[in-house]
Amino acid sequence: MRITIVALNAFPLIEPGTGRNIGGLETFAWNLAQGLASNELDQIQFLVRSEYACNSREHRGVQVDFIHEPCREIRQSVSKAIEIDPARKMPKIKALQPGLLWKIPLLAFRKVFFPRYSEAKSIAVAVERFDPDVIVTMGVNQTSTILGELARDRNIPIALWLQSNADLDRNLFEKIGFVDRYGVRSEHAQACLRLCRNIVCQTQTQFHRLKEMESIQSDSQTQPVRANHIPNPIDTSVFRSAETSPDHRRGVLWIGRADRFHKRPHLAIEIAARCPDIPFTMILNPSEDAVYREMLDAKPPNVSIVDFVPASEMSKRMSSAWLFLSTGSADYEGFPNVFLEASASGTPIVSLEDFDEFLTRSGGGLPGGGRIDQVVENILRLHTSPTVWMQISRNSRTYVCEHHERTAVVQKFRKWLESLVAPNGLKTTVSQGRARQRPG
């Protein structure tokens, strides 16, 4: 098969040093692409976005293609500083930045003298050049809607892999004009689920919610949803740790971005303040400047904040940590990939919430039931109970290897993709030394 996977913001995973805003969606998509590429009969296209023109390249067995969006960072910084409301004649300045004096004229100049950038057209050109048998898109968003339209128009099967519980927020499908905390608009979400009817759920929770919501989007003109639950995959060999004793590990690790609704770093700060004898390290992406500065000001002496760690170093950080702490919200989180990374490293998890009852099933950590007092109690209990720590460490590693190992999970997903492609009929071609399965 020829499989296209789209994760437009994953460029920093291909070119380290070109950006720091690497999220779980991007990490997940790149991990999936590498897993699929291990099958010599397949060719994988991984489509990302770049501010400067790049040639296609092969990276770790994956064909990486780029869509060129010039001045993207400048445009984003201006949009953060200025709010344009069609109902008002003049734009509203949200944050005064000296750079606006040259950024706005530059964008105006480009708009007048250069072709207007179209994400939909750029994606279509790149995908059509590769000519995939099937497209894989991540999450309910505008990009997935664009890909759904492309797949419909070209008669290509498309699979949507959910990335968050927020993808199935009922408000997106029941309220006209609703915009969620990530900027996804209701019209895009509704169109996305109308177009992308082959859906992979990360968790049983998402699977059941999707089945409950199917009636919202179903009508005589819409194909029924073909839903499948496939657990998130991970290459456990990357995160294996030789240090299986708490005596050789140090500190609590927290990873996330600066926000007040999803990762909730302010709750991690509160928990750390109640464990003054235990060092905490927070890898905090400064996605919201005001929240990031607030965390720097509020952190107690036992907390260190790091704004960025390269993806290549994350496994070392995780495998040397004594504990992983999660304060994420189940309303937005979906299934956290960091849980798999911690478990593969044999690092016990203490979490404010138990996502899809992962900690309960695996025995790889202690859930807090949504209560900060319980989280603090769990951390202090592990701090004084090395025997319990070691048992949880063994449980977590064993469970992830049995249920989330990338090779087995990706093979299950690949077979499902084959079932989507098969109705079109298959023919075998040879390209670049590999046998390909192409729809006839």
Side-chain angles (χ1 to χ4, degrees):
M1 285 188 296
R2 294 171 68 85
I3 305 169
T4 289
I5 298 176
V6 181
L8 294 184
N9 295 327
F11 187 44
L13 290 170
I14 310 302
E15 285 285 346
T18 58
R20 297 188 170 192
N21 192 17
I22 304 172
L25 182 154
E26 291 75 32
T27 304
F28 171 87
W30 179 234
N31 181 43
L32 178 65
Q34 293 176 86
L36 287 167
S38 64
N39 188 321
E40 289 295 317
L41 295 177
D42 298 332
Q43 185 172 1
I44 313 302
Q45 178 193 40
F46 192 68
L47 188 58
V48 301
R49 171 170 40 212
S50 171
E51 274 209 284
Y52 54 88
C54 296
N55 294 323
S56 298
R57 69 189 70 168
E58 183 169 307
H59 185 54
R60 298 188 179 180
V62 177
Q63 177 179 320
V64 182
D65 289 333
F66 304 86
I67 63 173
H68 179 208
E69 183 181 355
C71 298
R72 174 176 170 79
E73 289 189 9
I74 294 175
R75 192 176 295 106
Q76 286 186 317
S77 67
V78 170
S79 66
K80 287 182 179 180
I82 297 178
E83 178 181 343
I84 299 177
D85 188 340
R88 291 196 302 263
K89 293 183 178 180
M90 295 296 292
K92 176 184 177 182
I93 297 178
K94 296 184 291 185
L96 188 60
Q97 300 176 1
L100 293 177
L101 297 176
W102 64 267
K103 291 178 181 178
I104 293 176
L106 174 62
L107 294 178
F109 176 82
R110 287 198 61 88
K111 186 175 182 179
V112 172
F113 294 101
F114 289 85
R116 183 178 178 84
Y117 169 78
S118 169
E119 183 168 289
K121 182 177 180 180
S122 298
I123 290 174
V125 170
V127 171
E128 290 171 1
R129 185 182 298 121
F130 182 74
D131 189 22
D133 296 329
V134 63
I135 297 171
V136 180
T137 186
M138 304 291 161
V140 174
N141 48 54
Q142 187 174 6
T143 299
S144 292
T145 304
I146 290 171
L147 288 163
E149 292 171 343
L150 175 65
R152 176 200 60 197
D153 295 343
R154 302 297 186 273
N155 193 29
I156 304 170
I158 183 168
L160 166 66
W161 201 318
L162 299 179
Q163 294 296 298
S164 166
N165 290 341
D167 286 340
L168 301 177
D169 185 345
R170 296 185 72 95
N171 290 317
L172 286 170
F173 306 97
E174 296 177 345
K175 293 184 179 180
I176 298 174
F178 179 78
V179 182
D180 74 5
R181 300 294 289 268
Y182 298 108
V184 177
R185 307 185 69 85
S186 59
E187 59 264 33
H188 292 144
Q190 292 168 24
C192 182
L193 285 199
R194 280 197 303 270
L195 294 161
C196 304
R197 307 300 286 176
N198 306 304
I199 301 177
V200 181
C201 302
Q202 298 172 303
T203 64
Q204 287 290 347
T205 300
Q206 291 173 357
F207 184 83
H208 295 314
R209 185 180 296 185
L210 180 64
K211 288 298 184 181
E212 292 172 357
M213 291 177 56
E214 187 172 359
S215 60
I216 299 174
Q217 291 277 302
S218 296
D219 55 46
S220 60
Q221 304 298 317
T222 306
Q223 294 293 323
V225 168
R226 185 177 181 180
N228 197 356
H229 168 227
I230 299 178
N232 285 16
I234 184 173
D235 182 358
T236 58
S237 65
V238 174
F239 292 90
R240 183 176 286 111
S241 174
E243 304 298 348
T244 57
S245 167
D247 296 335
H248 298 97
R249 304 285 195 101
R250 184 177 186 277
V252 175
L253 180 64
W254 181 98
I255 302 172
R257 57 180 169 269
D259 65 44
R260 292 187 174 89
F261 66 96
H262 180 181
K263 296 298 185 178
R264 305 185 294 192
H266 59 285
L267 299 183
I269 293 287
E270 181 179 346
I271 291 165
R274 295 171 62 175
C275 305
D277 296 329
I278 302 174
F280 283 67
T281 298
M282 297 178 67
I283 301 176
L284 181 61
N285 187 322
S287 54
E288 295 184 28
D289 293 339
V291 177
Y292 183 75
R293 290 194 299 270
E294 180 184 324
M295 296 304 100
L296 289 176
D297 293 339
K299 73 179 186 69
N302 62 323
V303 173
S304 300
I305 293 181
V306 181
D307 66 358
F308 174 70
V309 171
S312 59
E313 296 180 16
M314 194 59 73
S315 61
K316 182 178 179 181
R317 290 270 186 166
M318 187 66 81
S319 60
S320 62
W322 167 75
L323 188 77
F324 180 78
L325 170 66
S326 169
T327 54
S329 167
D331 290 338
Y332 299 95
E333 187 75 59
F335 186 83
N337 287 317
V338 285
F339 274 27
L340 300 182
E341 295 173 3
S343 296
S345 304
T347 304
I349 300 165
V350 170
S351 178
L352 192 60
E353 301 187 37
D354 191 357
F355 300 96
D356 207 45
E357 299 186 341
F358 173 80
L359 299 182
T360 302
R361 288 198 314 273
S362 67
L366 302 176
R371 297 186 296 112
I372 288 180
D373 286 346
Q374 184 62 55
V375 170
V376 173
E377 182 180 325
N378 289 340
I379 293 174
L380 295 177
R381 175 191 173 195
L382 287 177
H383 195 237
T384 57
S385 305
T387 303
V388 175
W389 186 99
M390 292 177 69
Q391 182 61 55
I392 290 176
S393 176
R394 287 193 293 267
N395 291 343
S396 61
R397 174 76 184 172
T398 300
Y399 186 88
V400 165
C401 289
E402 289 180 354
H403 297 277
H404 292 270
E405 179 58 56
R406 187 171 73 182
T407 301
V409 174
V410 167
Q411 181 61 19
K412 180 179 179 181
F413 179 59
R414 185 187 181 280
K415 287 183 178 180
W416 189 66
L417 291 182
E418 281 186 331
S419 72
L420 304 184
V421 174
N424 293 329
L426 296 173
K427 64 180 179 179
T428 302
T429 64
V430 178
S431 173
Q432 297 178 357
R434 288 182 173 184
R436 308 296 181 197
Q437 296 296 319
R438 300 292 305 279

